[in-house]
Amino acid sequence: MAGAAVLAVLLLRVGPQPFLDGLARTDPRAIAYALVVTAATTACCARRWSLVAGGLGVGLPFGAAYRACYRAQVLNATLPGGVAGDVHRGYRHGRDAGALGRGLRSVVWDRASGQAVQVALAVACVPLLPHALRGWVLGVLAFVVLAAVVVLVAARREARAVLGGAWAEVVLLSALAAAGHVSVFVVAARTAGVTAPGADLAALALVVLLASAIPLGIAGWGPREGAAAAAFGAAGLGAATGVEVAVVFGILSLVATLPGLLVLRSVPTTGPERAKGGRAWASTPTSS
């Protein structure tokens, strides 16, 4: 309902044309770029999850993590809230590993580590943002950082177990994944005809991506378009332009997750079944 409300307000403020223009401007070259980059960012996320899960004692092979992450992305991009796919992969992995709680927490730590690095990148790019946005963005980021510190202090033992000696690789993988998403956003902006400097667009992209992580949208739609309208409006590029860019980016992101359909019905198995000589992590059809 929140995502629908944001979209309704945008329709009243800028009209339907930016949405239609975004749909019309999306071209095959941009889609091809998004597919290639998303394959790479998914690999980064899969490796990061494998490291984090290993720290919790429920590790999984890279190939299994890669398939599960692709499946999670396509579910995130098609179901309300935008996090159903991640809940699904955490539940599946925890159930099959015989440790449901640790399986779910592995995904929480995986997502949290990625968002933490993205927040750090956003802080670094604040000087590139329009003055009208800087105070608001800094306030939000300060709140997020404070909340993260509180969580880390409360869960410091598990944080040490999760990251351990792999924290540098986790940070690097998260930065590479964020850079990939930012580059797709910049390509979306160029596809929509925006000629602003790439560095400025990258800074705006980080703001929009952080808003996209809020689980209040309709399969990702809503907060992303609202944040893009506000950010581009504050930058003097026009709220309608921001909506158009967000629509192009949304389409590119959706299409780029479609390879996840190939493993949508795959069943990851590990732990007891592997020990019994049963099915290992593989793409095995299931009725569920």
Side-chain angles (χ1 to χ4, degrees), residues 1 10 17 36-37 44 57 62 85 87 92 129 160 165 179 185 218 229 249 282:
M1 291 177 65
L10 289 175
Q17 198 59 46
V36 172
V37 171
C44 292
F62 171 76
V87 174
R92 274 278 180 91
L129 292 172
R160 284 195 295 267
F185 186 92
I218 304 172
F249 179 70

Side-chain angles (χ1 to χ4, degrees), residues 177-288:
H181 296 314
V182 167
S183 74
V184 173
F185 186 92
V186 172
V187 167
R190 296 293 188 230
T191 302
V194 180
T195 58
D200 293 347
L201 290 175
L204 294 174
L206 286 167
V207 174
V208 175
L209 288 172
L210 288 174
S212 300
I214 301 173
L216 295 177
I218 304 172
W221 298 83
R224 177 180 59 215
E225 287 68 33
F232 276 69
L237 299 172
T241 300
V243 172
E244 183 178 342
V245 172
V247 169
V248 176
F249 179 70
I251 295 171
L252 295 180
S253 300
L254 173 60
V255 175
T257 66
L258 293 183
L261 293 174
L262 299 176
V263 292
L264 188 60
R265 293 169 62 83
S266 67
V267 179
T269 57
T270 187
E273 291 191 3
R274 179 184 287 266
K276 294 177 184 177
R279 295 167 295 173
W281 282 76
S283 297
T284 308
T286 178
S287 58
S288 61

Side-chain angles (χ1 to χ4, degrees), residues 148-179:
V149 170
V150 171
V151 171
L152 285 174
V153 170
R156 56 187 178 276
R157 289 186 179 179
E158 185 163 280
R160 284 195 295 267
V162 169
L163 298 177
W167 68 268
E169 187 175 354
V170 168
V171 170
L172 176 61
L173 291 167
S174 299
L176 290 174

